[in-house]
Amino acid sequence: MADPKEGGVVKKGHEEGLKLAVSILEEFGLPLGLLPLANVIEVGFVKTTGYMWIVQTKKVEHNFKLIKKMVSYDTEITGYVAKKKIKKLKGVKAKELMLWPPVNDITVDDPPTGKIQFKSLAGITKTFPEEAFAAGQ
């Protein structure tokens, strides 16, 4: 099995890693506040496959106030980034009542409607206003 990280650009440390993560979100038309990261150790991206990985020192729980949603980001987050979407996402969970189902796919509507969709492996799909995930939210 080939290493998905092979041929990737890697940035170490919080500042450099965060810059790379934000530039990837920008390049693919995803909301910049989608990944509220803390204490980043490493961020990597393989342009040919879209594979992205983020390693941070501790789990982050972030409350998206506009939609009253608590989201948990693991110490390692991986996924495949494409235009307006992230597929096979691992390491991100959204609180649903008492459960934390993993978020598997994120898609921004294209053409733009101002909506973004989150799908879990359990088949739960939630749609939210994209502005809820703007930088600084």
Side-chain angles (χ1 to χ4, degrees):
M1 180 88 186
D3 180 359
K5 296 180 177 182
E6 204 174 299
V9 175
V10 179
K11 297 289 181 193
K12 303 268 188 196
H14 184 72
E15 215 165 286
E16 289 301 307
L18 201 56
K19 269 188 208 154
L20 178 59
V22 167
S23 73
I24 294 165
L25 291 175
E26 258 179 340
E27 183 180 340
F28 290 97
L30 294 158
L32 300 186
L34 208 50
L35 299 169
L37 306 170
N39 306 314
V40 173
I41 300 167
E42 177 182 297
V43 174
F45 181 62
V46 182
K47 196 130 182 113
T48 51
T49 61
Y51 184 74
M52 176 173 93
W53 69 94
I54 296 166
V55 182
Q56 48 185 1
T57 52
K58 59 181 198 290
K59 209 167 107 164
V60 173
E61 286 191 0
H62 184 82
N63 186 20
F64 288 97
K65 293 179 193 67
L66 279 180
I67 54 169
K68 296 176 179 62
K69 252 307 158 229
M70 186 63 85
V71 180
S72 152
Y73 296 84
D74 228 324
T75 52
E76 187 162 356
I77 300 162
T78 62
Y80 290 86
V81 186
K83 184 177 188 265
K84 303 269 189 196
K85 61 177 62 166
I86 302 174
K87 292 196 299 221
K88 296 186 182 168
L89 186 63
K90 289 189 171 74
V92 178
K93 295 178 176 149
K95 192 165 188 190
E96 230 21 91
L97 303 169
M98 303 305 282
L99 302 169
W100 288 86
V103 176
N104 191 256
D105 288 336
I106 299 175
T107 307
V108 174
D109 284 355
D110 193 17
T113 59
K115 299 278 185 226
I116 183 167
Q117 291 175 10
F118 295 80
K119 282 188 192 131
S120 78
L121 287 173
I124 302 165
T125 300
K126 295 277 180 189
T127 303
F128 296 111
E130 205 180 322
E131 74 230 15
F133 303 95
Q137 289 295 332

